Amino acid sequence: MKILAICGTRPEALKMAPVVLALRAAPEFETQVAVTAQHRQMLDQALNLFGIRPDYDLNIMQAGQTIFDITSRTLLGLRDVLDQARPDLVLVQGDTTTVMTGALAAFYMRIPVGHVEAGLRSFDKYQPFPEEINRRITSTLTDLHFAPTDLARRNLEAEGVTPERIWVTGNTAVDALLHVAALQPPATHPLLDALDPARRLILVTTHRRENWGEPLRGICRAVRQLIETYRDIEVIYALHLNPVVQNIARTELADVPRLHLCDAVDYAPWVQMLKRSYLILTDSGGIQEEAPSLGKPVLVLRNVTERPEGVHAGTLKIVGTDTETIVREASTLLIDADARARMTRIGNPYGDGHAAARIVAAIREWAARSAG
């Protein structure tokens, strides 16, 4: 059975990698990988970490690209890839433009689609943008839905997906995290070596389109206030490569003591930063899934999340982008050890590190059912 896994960004590559490795270990599957390179540099380092070389590479990334550019170049490029590869099943992961166009291209060629991390919903089509609509479109085109949680399964069933097409697997983000966290020797980074061990580390990441502009400035003001208030903290702010994020953060936070602005960190040293951290401020979806496995509290810099399981469990708290709210909620966790402990003793509601094996088993089941 020929399977083609498609990915375009670092988060997709990280979450698809455990599935690709598990499929390649199964002799009944012939598994290839196609990348759109929607994000070039960040994608490559993630694939290299798992020893995966793409069989097809569209290399679409261009400076100043828009969603229109990504969508059109990806759709046309994948048409040619699918025509050449002729897979029996296409796998996509998550909610990027590559995911949506990959599923659409497969549908146009009447190839079944498997969606890893299916069923996440914020129920607000503009938050996150364009990811919420990307995943809704993908769900309508999908034949095999690999839902990470029971809540994701219920979301799909509420939209009319029949139960026999849904498998609850856990999230492969946990598989990837545990794999990389166990690598020896642990990856390092100059910033990790330079940290004062007597200070508590706060990690900050931002990249969501809906946070561009004034919301991001509000986040930066909160970071500045926290550093000015608490002398025993250091902050690593890992900046997305997008120049919109870079320009605002570097302007708002220039010359702030104990603040380290750095470009996006490779995943292996990033895992070590997560392990070293005391508190995480982020608008990233993947970090919401990863941090609970390491016992790290997360303040979510968004107004809604499509990953409410962590909020319900207590490992995450949504704080938005208002400066005063961020400072107040972060201060609570910096001052009140019991409040922080309540967010760190829960375990990970998103998975146990065996999601990829469950996905492979589900594909076997589907293949047997289709053959019968």
Side-chain angles (χ1 to χ4, degrees):
M1 183 178 179
K2 296 178 66 176
I3 298 176
L4 181 69
I6 300 174
C7 52
T9 67
R10 182 170 88 165
E12 289 170 76
L14 290 171
K15 295 181 181 183
M16 188 70 85
V19 180
V20 170
L21 296 181
L23 285 169
R24 286 182 172 174
E28 68 267 41
F29 300 120
E30 177 187 335
T31 305
Q32 293 185 309
V33 174
V35 298
T36 66
Q38 179 179 333
H39 294 162
R40 174 83 271 170
Q41 177 183 346
M42 297 170 72
L43 170 75
D44 289 345
Q45 60 90 5
L47 291 174
N48 290 338
L49 183 60
F50 288 86
I52 295 173
R53 293 191 52 149
D55 301 279
Y56 304 93
D57 189 341
L58 299 185
N59 195 28
I60 69 162
M61 185 171 178
Q62 296 180 9
Q65 64 188 6
T66 68
I67 303 174
F68 294 94
D69 300 324
I70 297 169
T71 301
S72 59
R73 289 199 297 268
T74 299
L75 187 61
L76 292 173
L78 287 175
R79 174 193 61 186
D80 299 335
V81 169
L82 293 174
D83 188 56
Q84 181 177 347
R86 293 289 171 178
D88 301 299
L89 175 67
V90 164
L91 293 181
V92 293
Q93 191 289 321
D95 54 20
T96 70
T97 301
T98 289
V99 173
M100 183 270 289
T101 53
L104 185 60
F107 166 72
Y108 283 164
M109 299 190 72
R110 298 179 180 269
I111 300 169
V113 175
H115 185 197
V116 179
E117 198 182 73
L120 276 64
R121 297 290 185 269
S122 72
F123 303 103
D124 181 333
K125 71 178 184 178
Y126 292 115
Q127 297 191 66
F129 175 84
E131 288 85 0
E132 176 71 5
I133 292 302
N134 284 344
R135 54 177 162 252
R136 291 196 207 179
I137 293 172
T138 300
S139 290
T140 66
L141 304 170
T142 292
D143 301 274
L144 295 82
H145 301 260
F146 305 120
T149 65
D150 284 326
L151 177 58
R153 172 187 57 79
R154 294 195 298 272
N155 289 339
L156 292 166
E157 290 179 346
E159 294 172 3
V161 179
T162 55
E164 61 268 20
R165 292 168 53 202
I166 306 171
W167 290 263
V168 178
T169 62
N171 200 303
T172 57
V174 183
D175 298 37
L177 173 74
L178 297 179
H179 172 85
V180 173
L183 293 177
Q184 295 296 330
T188 189
H189 188 280
L191 283 179
L192 280 170
D193 298 333
L195 292 174
D196 184 340
R199 293 193 179 114
R200 295 176 291 178
L201 173 64
I202 297 179
L203 290 181
V204 182
T205 73
T206 55
H207 72 281
R208 293 289 181 191
R209 283 181 174 85
E210 60 267 30
N211 281 347
W212 292 359
E214 185 56 32
L216 182 52
R217 293 186 181 92
I219 293 169
C220 291
R221 288 193 294 269
V223 171
R224 178 186 288 272
Q225 286 188 30
L226 288 169
I227 291 175
E228 291 172 349
T229 303
Y230 300 97
R231 301 293 180 180
D232 68 331
I233 67 171
E234 283 190 76
V235 175
I236 293 179
Y237 192 154
L239 297 173
H240 194 271
L241 295 178
N242 191 295
V244 175
V245 177
Q246 292 258 344
N247 292 340
I248 292 176
R250 292 190 184 280
T251 299
E252 293 286 333
L253 296 171
D255 302 321
V256 176
R258 292 176 281 113
L259 170 67
H260 310 277
L261 291 172
C262 65
D263 289 334
V265 179
D266 287 355
Y267 188 65
W270 176 250
V271 170
Q272 298 305 315
M273 288 184 181
L274 289 173
K275 293 172 70 174
R276 171 73 170 75
S277 68
Y278 188 86
L279 171 63
I280 301 167
L281 310 180
T282 187
D283 62 9
S284 163
I287 294 173
Q288 293 177 53
E289 297 157 347
E290 295 162 345
S293 287
L294 301 174
K296 305 300 179 180
V298 177
L299 298 181
V300 181
L301 304 172
R302 295 163 59 180
N303 296 318
V304 296
T305 181
E306 65 279 34
R307 294 167 172 85
E309 295 91 342
V311 178
H312 298 156
T315 65
L316 315 175
K317 189 166 187 178
I318 298 174
V319 299
T321 60
D322 175 71
T323 299
E324 291 185 7
T325 303
I326 296 169
V327 171
R328 182 179 67 250
E329 297 295 343
S331 295
T332 297
L333 298 178
L334 290 168
I335 295 170
D336 188 340
D338 290 336
R340 181 179 181 276
R342 286 193 292 271
M343 295 184 70
T344 63
R345 296 173 180 165
I346 296 164
N348 196 324
Y350 299 107
D352 59 5
H354 301 288
R358 295 188 186 99
I359 290 170
V360 172
I363 295 172
R364 283 198 186 101
E365 179 186 331
W366 171 79
R369 188 191 303 164
S370 301

